[in-house]
Amino acid sequence: MGDRAVLIVSELATNAICRTRSSEPGHTFHVTVNMDTHGVRTEVRTLASRTRGTLPHAIKPEDLLAEHGRGLSLVEQLATTWGTLAPRHHGVYAHLTWDNS
């Protein structure tokens, strides 16, 4: 699948655990990965964010050596496109297009 795609899936799943109600006892989140000759699309469907009214967004980390806070910034840099599944669903998607040159 490629190192970039694996890192994107890992960061989105980690974000689901750290930032949403999906990590609470008895709850889950769902990861879907579809790959074809053009690239890979990942969706991570979660329960609502722990912070009411917020959507996932990338922030510029203030401290590049900090242990947390760079996940969606990495996704933004590595993915061809990414965004939220809102308003119909809670979660995020990322699409990585293969360089077929």
Side-chain angles (χ1 to χ4, degrees), residues 23-65:
S23 65
E24 295 174 359
H27 295 119
T28 63
F29 64 96
H30 300 275
V31 177
T32 304
V33 178
N34 293 305
M35 185 170 54
D36 62 23
T37 57
H38 302 290
V40 62
R41 178 182 167 87
T42 302
E43 281 190 7
V44 178
R45 292 181 184 236
T46 66
L47 294 176
S49 171
R50 287 193 186 131
T51 308
R52 188 176 183 145
T54 62
L55 292 175
H57 61 282
I59 59 171
K60 184 176 181 182
E62 294 179 22
D63 180 0
L64 295 177
L65 299 177

Side-chain angles (χ1 to χ4, degrees), residues 45-48 54-56 83-93:
R45 292 181 184 236
T46 66
L47 294 176
T54 62
L55 292 175
T84 66
L85 299 174
R88 291 188 61 211
H89 301 285
H90 294 287
V92 293
Y93 73 90

